[in-house]
Amino acid sequence: RSAYRCWLLSVSILIVVCAGYIQATAQTLSLVSVKVNAFQDHSADFYAFDAQNKLVRNLSPGDFTITNGSQNFTAGNVTCPPVSAPERLSVVLCIDVSGSMSQGSPSRMSRVRAAASLFVSMLDTTLHECAVTSFDHLSYINQDFTTSKTQLNNAISTLQPQGATDYNNALLAAPTGALNVATQGRYKRVVVMLTDGDGGGKQDSILAFAQLYNIRIYSISYFLQAPGILANITSQTGGLLFGETGYESLTTPEQLNAAFRACLFHAEGAQPCTVSWFADRYCYSGWRYVSIAVPSLAMPAVAQYYILPYDKIPYVAFYPASLTFGAVPPGSYSEKTVQIYAYNAPITITSGTFANTRFEVTSWGGTPPPFTIGTGQSRFVTVRYTSSDTSYQFGAFDIQSNMCVYSFVEIG
């Protein structure tokens, strides 16, 4: 092959290694994503690996412990799609060698070298070929495509931290950017990019190039909350992102080990398993946390933050949000109507009471509780305030339901 041929991927997979330390042998889990299927129906896609870096697929719900940090949940279903013969890959390891990689003891750089070497050890070079590039504010070809693990490990061993961080040069620079190298790969083109810094970049240009040459990008961010550009270029090319855009980032050797292994198996075509659980009733949109372990196989807990979206929360709302009765002479009463809506799911109202007995419901707009309001449906409820003096009165309408209820206040 020519000198250029070695660093280009034809149908290869460009693997962008964002920075991490990989240490082999432990049985581990790698969380790919956490999903909210419905309000309390949550699930996680994951890969499980044994000490020989093989996929573990024969798992059952009883193998798992799942917690949000304060409550334990029971695993529901565990499904693992069948694994077919691996696709042949042309992989480019694209490794950050910026100055920040010198931090830590042992340094981030030494951990990344170990992680990349583990990845190489897992490659079946009778099927796959691999190249090594690196980047700071520039980019470098350390080893073009080869099936020699010795050559790949020799290239990895020379990586040293220096300079700044630039994603454009890491991926697009000609001829040294990882995407340019990937175009010469003979098989399915993949880039695995590892970084510990935000290097900016022209997202549209990166995506256009990767899609033109059919290159899949994987990204692993080390001691870094993954920038949005990494989330977008991985998802839109069919790859995976490790080091989410939420609160967490990859910081341990075990996490990096599992992430690299997941990149390889996913690129080869093995789909993740899925475990589901019935989550707690949390009535506010925002970040949630889950920790999952498999104690029966000595797989330690892995955790991830994820968003509980607003449109997955079934709740009761009141229109108007409060009622004001104004001045009501003692010995008389006033009535007003409030509309009760059910959002995002059918909701069963089991009771409705007032702490202040001067307020009461005189009509539920139908049968009294318990009753169910269909999704997007409502009832008109009539509330009466009876005055016994001229004092200022407040009343909280306490609605009980099988879902979420937000407060409603009456002022008399």
Side-chain angles (χ1 to χ4, degrees):
R1 294 178 184 171
S2 67
Y4 291 138
R5 174 68 182 79
C6 296
W7 46 261
L8 294 174
L9 282 172
S10 72
V11 185
S12 56
I13 295 174
L14 181 57
I15 297 176
V16 179
V17 180
C18 304
Y21 171 53
I22 295 185
Q23 192 176 47
T25 71
Q27 299 192 125
T28 54
L29 289 173
S30 178
L31 289 184
V32 175
S33 64
V34 180
K35 302 173 183 176
V36 178
N37 308 305
F39 179 43
Q40 291 177 275
D41 176 15
H42 299 190
S43 64
D45 292 342
F46 68 93
Y47 289 98
F49 307 101
D50 65 17
Q52 287 72 46
N53 298 321
K54 304 297 184 182
L55 287 174
V56 177
R57 311 292 274 187
N58 58 336
L59 295 168
S60 63
D63 292 319
F64 289 84
T65 60
I66 303 173
T67 179
N68 65 2
S70 60
Q71 290 180 263
N72 295 325
F73 307 123
T74 300
N77 296 320
V78 179
T79 57
C80 291
V83 178
S84 56
E87 299 180 59
R88 303 191 75 176
L89 308 178
S90 295
V91 178
V92 178
L93 293 176
C94 176
I95 299 176
D96 188 338
V97 292
S98 61
S100 58
M101 295 290 283
S102 63
Q103 296 179 19
S105 180
S107 70
R108 295 179 185 178
M109 191 77 260
S110 65
R111 294 176 175 179
V112 168
R113 288 194 295 263
S117 293
L118 173 64
F119 183 89
V120 168
S121 74
M122 293 172 57
L123 282 176
D124 181 351
T125 51
T126 66
L127 295 175
H128 310 319
E129 61 182 356
C130 185
V132 178
T133 68
S134 58
F135 68 97
D136 43 38
H137 54 286
L138 302 173
S139 57
Y140 314 92
I141 299 172
N142 304 93
Q143 173 63 54
D144 63 14
F145 280 112
T146 182
T147 58
S148 169
K149 293 186 178 183
T150 298
Q151 291 179 1
L152 292 168
N153 283 321
N154 286 343
I156 291 167
S157 69
T158 65
L159 300 177
Q160 296 295 332
Q162 59 187 11
T165 306
D166 189 311
Y167 292 169
N168 278 337
N169 282 329
L171 297 172
L172 293 174
T176 52
L179 288 173
N180 274 289
V181 174
T183 62
Q184 296 302 301
R186 295 178 295 172
Y187 312 119
K188 180 181 177 182
R189 298 170 183 168
V190 174
V191 170
V192 178
M193 178 180 179
L194 188 151
T195 185
D196 73 339
D198 187 345
K202 298 178 180 179
Q203 176 178 300
D204 291 345
S205 298
I206 293 170
L207 282 171
F209 193 105
Q211 291 165 353
L212 176 64
Y213 290 97
N214 195 24
I215 302 169
R216 181 180 293 184
I217 301 175
Y218 292 79
S219 181
I220 306 170
S221 56
Y222 184 47
F223 282 95
L224 173 71
Q225 290 182 17
I229 185 175
L230 296 184
N232 293 331
I233 64 175
T234 54
S235 65
Q236 294 185 45
T237 61
L240 299 176
L241 170 66
F242 295 91
E244 293 295 334
T245 53
Y247 292 111
E248 81 284 2
S249 60
L250 300 181
T251 59
T252 70
E254 294 77 16
Q255 290 172 324
L256 264 295
N257 183 16
F260 268 92
R261 292 191 284 193
C263 287
L264 177 58
F265 282 107
H266 187 269
E268 289 181 330
Q271 295 303 304
C273 298
T274 301
V275 59
S276 64
W277 64 94
F278 189 75
D280 58 320
R281 190 168 73 171
Y282 186 80
C283 293
Y284 301 94
S285 177
W287 289 105
R288 303 291 286 144
Y289 171 87
V290 67
S291 175
I292 302 175
V294 181
S296 61
L297 297 178
M299 293 182 181
V302 290
Q304 187 166 310
Y305 287 89
Y306 62 101
I307 290 287
L308 175 61
Y310 184 77
D311 63 4
K312 297 292 186 181
I313 302 173
Y315 66 95
V316 171
F318 302 94
Y319 295 98
S322 64
L323 295 178
T324 301
F325 291 85
V328 179
S332 61
Y333 65 85
S334 176
E335 292 185 338
K336 291 184 178 294
T337 300
V338 60
Q339 194 172 11
I340 302 178
Y341 274 94
Y343 285 100
N344 300 328
I347 295 178
T348 298
I349 304 297
T350 56
S351 68
T353 58
F354 296 92
N356 188 332
T357 58
R358 299 188 189 194
F359 298 92
E360 61 180 322
V361 173
T362 58
S363 172
W364 285 97
T367 58
F371 59 84
T372 298
I373 305 175
T375 305
Q377 302 300 307
S378 66
R379 273 202 182 192
F380 288 90
V381 175
T382 302
V383 177
R384 174 182 295 180
Y385 168 66
T386 301
S387 175
S388 59
D389 54 41
T390 58
S391 63
Y392 202 55
Q393 297 291 315
F394 291 88
F397 192 15
D398 182 16
I399 289 281
Q400 296 297 316
S401 84
N402 63 330
M403 294 298 178
C404 298
V405 178
Y406 300 107
S407 61
F408 178 77
V409 176
E410 297 80 32
I411 302 172

